[in-house]
Amino acid sequence: MTEQINDKYTQAIAASAVETDDVKVKEAVKKILDEHLQENMNTDVYKFLFNTIDLTTLKATDSPRSVADFTERVNAFDEEYPELKNVAAICVYPNFAQIVRAVLEVSSVDIACVSGGFPSSQTFPEVKVAETALAVEGGADEIDIVLNVGNFLDGDYEGVCDEIEEQKHACRDARLKVILETGALKTAENIKKASVLSLYSGADFLKTSTGKEFPGASLEAAYVMAQCIKDYHEKTGTMVGFKAAGGVATTAEAVAYYTIIKEVLGEEWLTNEYFRIGASRLANNLLSDILGKETKFF
């Protein structure tokens, strides 16, 4: 019986024709950027990218007061820059969902919470489910969880998928972002496998990284993930979003991810419903390039 269950997952992975040769992936990314990066280095794209940011504070020193102040800056942005679209979401630890919900006045900005034993995913499955449910109860619109990388590397695909499915159920109407921790997975082959498992377990978004223990987002990982999302969409008709996170700080870096998604997935994915960047430093850098002067608003 176990072999039959495992076959279900390995068959889903085998059915994907996404490229997993690391050299070829690197070459494909270079080709896209060589041909299309410069055309996207413009103010309109910068404004779009600003509106895709999950403005993030995930520090040990976060407190109700600091998170409330952080949220007030998002409120103030609407007043000070009415001509610009605000960030897409505020991303915090789950115990602060209620604080953000109480303070946030901008209806277009969602509340995202990391959950499920973030950033290591090392806790009891029951705790992960409870944490996710509590975050949603507190007001979270989106939940960012980490794929169980240890179980994945052990080949326990059933365990990995069961955890995602259980947390998806706990999300109720909130959207679920599954963080692959691509810096730990390392290879295109592993990133493809993790992407396929997450997609078929109900992920609403694939996200690259936590930005904590391992190297953050990479363009090669983004390319493989986008190809998996494309393949899944072609087979099921379901659109799944992409989020780059972990070390995306400069305008040029953000535009590079935009370029990959635009060329692999197309214009349909170029909305903040399906494209996000998780960042704390990027907002000020984009804002500076949009306004043409150094700006430190957040």
Side-chain angles (χ1 to χ4, degrees), residues 5-6 9 13 121 125 128 145-168 176 178-180 185 190 193-202:
I5 292 172
N6 284 335
Y9 303 110
I13 292 166
S121 194
K128 296 179 182 183
I145 67 167
V146 185
L147 174 137
N148 193 321
V149 178
N151 283 4
F152 172 84
L153 293 174
D154 272 359
D156 181 10
Y157 298 158
E158 181 187 4
V160 169
C161 293
D162 282 351
E163 284 193 8
I164 295 172
E165 289 169 1
E166 288 169 5
Q167 290 181 84
K168 170 70 172 177
L176 180 68
V178 178
I179 306 166
L180 305 187
L185 299 180
N190 277 341
K193 288 178 180 178
S195 296
V196 171
L197 295 175
S198 299
L199 289 165
Y200 282 93
S201 298

Side-chain angles (χ1 to χ4, degrees), residues 39-165:
E39 69 196 45
N40 295 322
M41 297 292 290
N42 61 72
T43 304
D44 286 342
V45 171
Y46 304 163
K47 289 178 180 178
F48 166 77
L49 287 168
F50 186 86
N51 185 230
T52 70
I53 291 175
D54 284 359
L55 195 67
T56 302
T57 180
L58 297 171
K59 301 192 294 287
T61 54
D62 287 343
S63 69
R65 179 178 297 175
S66 72
V67 170
D69 290 344
F70 187 76
T71 306
E72 287 286 15
R73 293 308 291 161
V74 174
N75 292 338
F77 183 85
D78 249 27
E79 298 172 10
E80 296 193 32
Y81 297 97
E83 73 281 9
L84 296 177
K85 290 183 178 180
N86 214 316
V87 296
I90 295 172
C91 185
V92 295
Y93 281 113
N95 48 307
F96 295 118
Q98 288 180 301
I99 300 291
V100 181
R101 178 59 70 198
V103 176
L104 183 62
E105 297 171 355
V106 187
S107 61
S108 63
V109 177
D110 286 335
I111 299 170
C113 288
V114 296
S115 185
F118 180 93
S120 66
S121 194
Q122 297 288 13
T123 189
F124 301 101
E126 296 85 353
V127 172
K128 296 179 182 183
V129 170
E131 188 175 38
T132 295
L134 287 167
V136 173
E137 182 67 26
D141 303 298
E142 302 171 359
I143 297 293
D144 293 34
I145 67 167
V146 185
L147 174 137
N148 193 321
V149 178
N151 283 4
F152 172 84
L153 293 174
D154 272 359
D156 181 10
Y157 298 158
E158 181 187 4
V160 169
C161 293
D162 282 351
E163 284 193 8
I164 295 172
E165 289 169 1

Side-chain angles (χ1 to χ4, degrees), residues 236-289:
T236 68
T238 301
M239 287 181 68
V240 172
F242 167 83
K243 178 176 173 179
V248 185
T250 70
T251 296
E253 287 168 346
V255 174
Y257 285 98
Y258 169 93
T259 303
I260 295 294
I261 297 305
K262 181 181 179 182
E263 295 307 315
V264 174
L265 290 171
E267 299 278 350
E268 201 176 357
W269 264 262
L270 298 182
T271 74
N272 71 6
E273 186 177 357
Y274 294 107
F275 180 79
R276 296 285 181 85
I277 299 177
S280 52
R281 294 173 291 165
L282 177 62
N284 285 331
N285 290 332
L286 275 172
L287 201 52
S288 297
D289 287 326

Side-chain angles (χ1 to χ4, degrees), residues 181-255:
E181 199 66 290
T182 55
L185 299 180
K186 297 180 181 178
T187 67
E189 179 68 32
N190 277 341
I191 292 167
K192 169 189 162 178
K193 288 178 180 178
S195 296
V196 171
L197 295 175
S198 299
L199 289 165
Y200 282 93
S201 298
D204 298 302
F205 258 81
L206 295 185
K207 176 178 170 182
T208 58
S209 324
T210 63
K212 298 294 184 182
E213 185 179 354
F214 297 95
S218 75
L219 294 167
E220 290 75 20
Y223 176 83
V224 174
M225 293 163 69
Q227 291 286 0
C228 290
I229 291 169
K230 180 180 180 180
D231 182 62
Y232 183 75
H233 178 248
E234 289 172 351
K235 290 174 179 174
T236 68
T238 301
M239 287 181 68
V240 172
F242 167 83
K243 178 176 173 179
V248 185
T250 70
T251 296
E253 287 168 346
V255 174

